[in-house]
Amino acid sequence: MDNNVPETSIDSATKQKAPKVVRRPHKTGRLYRFFHGLTHYNTGSTPRVWELDLFRGALMLFVTLDHVVNFGFQLGFFDFKTPAMIWFADNVLRVYLNSSFRVGIQPFGLFIFSFLSGISCSLSVSSLKRTIKMVVLCGVYMGVFALIHVFFPDLVKSYFIFNIINVLTLCVIFWWLFDLVKMPTWIRTMIGLIIGAVGLTYYFSYFVRGVADIENDLLALLVYNKHGTDLVQNFEPLFPHMGFFILGGVFGGLVYSDKKTKTKSENCILPLRPLAIMGKNSLVTYLFLPVIVLALIWIAEKFVWLFI
């Protein structure tokens, strides 16, 4: 053995002979990322503005419960057997369904949701990508609604639907156009205020005075009016929701210009994280969570009827 061989040579030779460690690639498929995003929160490279997700998640929880009660009665899922559950259905669920509170609070919840969606849109990295996603989702949603009408005409009474999904899709398109032409903030603010004022005027005329009606089918989709509600089964007008959306986008651009949370923590506290996940995936929650809950109720009513 040659004692004069320097240690660095021995180390380098050892390193060259060492077997290479083969690392398994992480799963990065679109389907995997989709379902991973549904169950995990703030796992991306850029922390989310979690307080916005939390507020939207709280609204989505209320909307989900409202849809479950509404469609549950329409589909006959609350045909309970025990006295306690019959009392609960008649004195809690049905009372809520027919209450003035439900009628009065629904529009304001959608106004707030539109405002929060506008803030979220202003934080988006790629407004074009977001716009394409919304257009595709809206097209699929409307197509499925029309198919349901074909097979279940008693449940869905029209081919055409114009609700918050359609409204938000149009809002995102217009916001993308605003960005495309680099529209100044003050002009966006004025447009949002005007649209909001017109929409709220018709809201007052329709819900309080009961005199709002527009005969033209296209214009009837713009504001609250009797013909709009007769035209489609699930009707939410473009105004004032678009006004709130635009004002939310302006607010987000000013307050969240750094695209970071305004709280001390970068992540939502653990007990509230499910709500934040719901808010992060608000459209998925809106479309699928009521279906899942109703399916569970149907299974329980059919197979565990002894207890309910």
Side-chain angles (χ1 to χ4, degrees), residues 266-283:
E266 284 191 351
N267 207 341
C268 180
I269 60 175
L270 188 59
L272 297 177
R273 201 165 295 172
L275 280 180
I277 293 175
M278 290 174 61
K280 175 186 175 183
N281 307 283
S282 55
L283 292 179

Side-chain angles (χ1 to χ4, degrees), residues 25-126:
H26 292 288
K27 296 179 181 179
T28 56
R30 291 183 179 180
L31 189 62
Y32 172 82
R33 291 200 303 269
F34 173 77
F35 286 103
H36 184 270
L38 293 180
T39 55
H40 295 74
Y41 187 73
N42 250 355
T43 56
S45 57
T46 304
R48 295 183 61 84
V49 182
W50 64 265
E51 61 267 29
L52 300 179
D53 290 336
L54 185 64
F55 290 140
R56 287 196 300 179
L59 286 174
M60 283 298 98
L61 179 62
F62 176 77
V63 169
T64 297
L65 295 176
D66 180 84
H67 285 177
V68 167
V69 174
N70 185 28
F71 291 111
F73 276 111
Q74 288 187 26
L75 298 172
F77 284 5
F78 297 139
D79 186 19
F80 298 130
K81 307 296 188 299
T82 62
M85 293 304 298
I86 293 173
W87 180 91
F88 178 75
D90 291 340
N91 295 278
V92 177
L93 299 182
R94 197 178 295 277
V95 168
Y96 162 76
L97 187 65
N98 299 321
S99 66
S100 300
F101 169 79
R102 177 175 180 265
V103 176
I105 202 66
Q106 274 186 332
F108 290 97
L110 292 175
F111 297 163
I112 297 172
F113 185 73
S114 299
F115 184 81
L116 294 174
S117 297
I119 298 177
S120 179
C121 191
S122 70
L123 302 177
S124 177
V125 177
S126 175

